[in-house]
Amino acid sequence: MAAAASMMPYFAQQISSKNDLVPDWMGQEVSTGTTIMAVEYDGGVVIGADSRTTTGAYIANRVTDKLTPIHDRIFCCRSGSAADTQAIADVVTYQLGFHSIELDEPPLVETAANLFKASCYRYREELSAGILVAGWDRRKGGQVYCVPIGGMMVRQPVSIGGSGSSYIYGFMDSNYKPDLTKDQCLDLTAAALSLAMERDGSSGGVIRLASISESGVERKVILGNQLPKYSTH
Amino acid sequence: MLEETGPEWLSEEVKTGTTIIAIEFNGGVVLGSDSRVSAGDSVVNRVMNKLSPLHDKIYCALSGSAADAQTIAEMVNYQLHVHSLEIDEDPQVRSAATLVFATLNGLLTRQPFAVGGSGSSYVYGFVDAEYRKGMNKEECQQFVVNTLSLAMNRDGSSGGVAYIVSIDEHGTEEKVILGNDLPTFFDQ
């Protein structure tokens, strides 16, 4: 399957993409169009993402899992090029695992974020990756770090990313308050993702949620027909 | 990069970066806009009223190229004036909309509320979640002000003050809300 897949773009370039016989998606890079979100609460973090991966106009995967574990209590939310983010996540998972064994301690979320930043900044010209790093550690509790395209890193109490995030800045600014409970964070994330998926063509499918705390990771899926509904017209 | 092309704003077209919003309520409408006009990185007017009267009780909100939008508004204002003399009564809002859409070669669609301009992207989620049918005039005004404030905080091309126009059968009311009186949110 991998060999066949790598031959397709070659043929697509030979047969010009202006030719109607070659579908648009055969020449396009696989992108996690996406809406991702991460929120800190006292004792942990809540993260969420949609589930659509597109190659041009074709939805290559409608049930993607964009919430990738990096360590026991550290996850990352991926947006941008699917290949780039998967590769970076794999590298960081290895580096962090090694570091954690050396330390003989669970790693810090800030360490994971710095590892992401190091890769994203060094290869910034070649990469197209926007990543949210979120998790729990004993030193600072729940933390969210944003590593957008370009490779900067900043900690934020709540962060959104991906193409669909533009549409929910207003909603997030008005609805987020400090000191929310875990369930309030879950509801806020589900609502925000639902609104973004409704407006952004590159986001859709199901909502994947996870909450990370000292006691572990709880994952949840909200299916299409169970999404919060906002009908305005 | 070797050529001296001068600052961007000397050669860039003047744009109303903008956030605009209009919303129907039972008995009238409320329109709102920000006040920033930019040419490249420079803000050339920080207090521009983008809500332009087409007739006593018909207004339009401008976005895009400032010159083009103003010209269309003035043209339609004139045509509507002549039309209302011909029919000897106040023109319909639909007529005004049709004149604008015909000039622009665009899309005409009636909606309970609409947002536009570069800042509108950031508030689609907010308006989808918060809009309810059957709001009264004061609730609509508050909704418009909140929306504009959120958009102005996130969009670099929107800012300044908020202009609000409320139109109902009793008349037209214009209001300005200065920057420091705008609603603030958790990170301000």
Side-chain angles (χ1 to χ4, degrees):
Chain A
M1 191 54 203
S6 68
M7 285 179 75
M8 278 179 359
Y10 177 65
F11 282 123
Q13 281 155 27
Q14 285 197 318
I15 312 164
S16 150
S17 52
K18 293 196 180 60
N19 184 336
D20 281 338
L21 293 175
V22 176
D24 165 61
W25 47 263
M26 283 179 73
Q28 298 267 5
E29 187 183 359
V30 175
S31 143
T32 44
T34 287
T35 314
I36 50 178
M37 180 162 166
V39 193
E40 289 176 9
Y41 66 91
D42 184 20
V45 293
V46 163
I47 56 176
D50 74 304
S51 70
R52 182 171 289 183
T53 305
T54 51
T55 38
Y58 175 64
I59 300 173
N61 186 350
R62 62 187 172 122
V63 285
T64 323
D65 184 7
K66 304 179 189 178
L67 307 177
T68 306
I70 305 296
H71 206 267
D72 295 343
R73 300 277 187 285
I74 306 176
F75 268 63
C76 76
C77 309
R78 300 180 291 111
S79 75
S81 155
D84 289 351
T85 55
Q86 285 177 0
I88 299 169
D90 287 345
V91 163
V92 172
T93 304
Y94 163 75
Q95 292 172 330
L96 201 64
F98 192 91
H99 168 73
S100 172
I101 288 172
E102 286 183 317
L103 240 54
D104 198 21
E105 253 184 37
L108 299 176
V109 185
E110 192 173 352
T111 310
N114 274 298
L115 288 170
F116 271 105
K117 178 191 72 180
S119 293
C120 290
Y121 181 68
R122 174 170 293 225
Y123 300 106
R124 57 185 297 176
E125 302 301 325
E126 290 108 279
L127 294 174
S128 170
I131 295 174
L132 299 180
V133 185
W136 179 93
D137 63 44
R138 246 175 44 144
R139 194 181 289 187
K140 295 187 185 166
Q143 298 144 75
V144 170
Y145 294 88
C146 177
V147 183
I149 293 183
M152 82 158 195
M153 184 198 77
V154 66
R155 180 181 175 186
Q156 292 179 305
V158 56
S159 195
I160 53 182
S163 56
S165 67
S166 314
Y167 304 105
I168 49 174
Y169 273 104
F171 177 79
M172 191 191 81
D173 284 342
S174 62
N175 284 75
Y176 173 79
K177 294 158 210 355
D179 303 322
L180 294 173
T181 66
K182 179 175 93 164
D183 288 324
Q184 286 174 323
C185 287
L186 284 164
D187 290 337
L188 178 68
T189 308
L193 290 173
S194 182
L195 288 162
M197 284 155 67
E198 188 64 31
R199 286 287 180 181
D200 180 29
S202 310
S203 301
V206 306
I207 294 181
R208 294 197 188 276
L209 293 170
S211 71
I212 309 169
S213 63
E214 179 171 14
S215 49
V217 177
E218 265 176 60
R219 298 203 62 156
K220 227 168 30 173
V221 181
I222 305 183
L223 300 179
N225 59 339
Q226 297 161 348
L227 290 174
K229 283 193 197 359
Y230 298 94
S231 171
T232 50
H233 291 20
Chain B
M1 288 307 287
L2 293 171
E3 298 170 30
E4 271 302 306
T5 44
E8 240 177 68
W9 50 264
L10 281 179
S11 49
E12 281 258 349
E13 188 181 3
V14 171
K15 282 201 164 73
T16 46
T18 290
T19 310
I20 49 177
I21 173 170
I23 162 168
E24 285 179 27
F25 64 91
N26 198 2
V29 296
V30 176
L31 294 102
S33 83
D34 73 304
S35 68
R36 179 171 292 180
V37 180
S38 43
D41 296 332
S42 176
V43 176
V44 296
N45 188 346
R46 60 189 171 123
V47 286
M48 160 125 179
N49 190 341
K50 303 176 189 178
L51 303 176
S52 199
L54 298 179
H55 199 75
D56 300 337
K57 295 221 181 90
I58 308 176
Y59 270 65
C60 78
L62 313 173
S63 75
S65 153
D68 292 348
Q70 280 185 337
T71 307
I72 291 175
E74 283 168 15
M75 274 168 39
V76 172
N77 178 298
Y78 165 76
Q79 288 167 353
L80 221 52
H81 182 70
V82 170
H83 172 63
S84 83
L85 289 173
E86 286 172 345
I87 61 175
D88 196 26
E89 57 179 40
D90 284 337
Q92 291 192 325
V93 184
R94 219 175 75 172
S95 315
T98 308
L99 282 170
V100 173
F101 130 84
T103 317
L104 285 173
N105 277 333
L107 161 77
L108 175 62
T109 169
R110 180 174 176 179
Q111 298 170 204
F113 75 89
V115 293
S118 57
S120 68
S121 315
Y122 303 104
V123 290
Y124 269 109
F126 176 77
V127 299
D128 282 343
E130 301 295 324
Y131 173 77
R132 288 159 293 123
K133 276 196 335 184
M135 290 195 272
N136 64 28
K137 186 164 91 160
E138 282 68 36
E139 288 170 327
C140 278
Q141 288 173 328
Q142 193 55 49
F143 179 67
V144 165
V145 167
N146 287 339
T147 310
L148 288 173
S149 184
L150 287 164
M152 283 155 67
N153 278 334
R154 287 291 179 179
D155 179 30
S157 312
S158 300
V161 306
Y163 289 101
I164 313 278
V165 167
S166 316
I167 311 173
D168 59 20
E169 61 177 326
H170 305 299
T172 307
E173 185 200 323
E174 294 194 6
K175 233 174 15 178
V176 186
I177 304 183
L178 300 181
N180 55 333
D181 295 329
L182 287 169
T184 55
F185 302 93
F186 78 95
D187 52 355
Q188 292 167 288

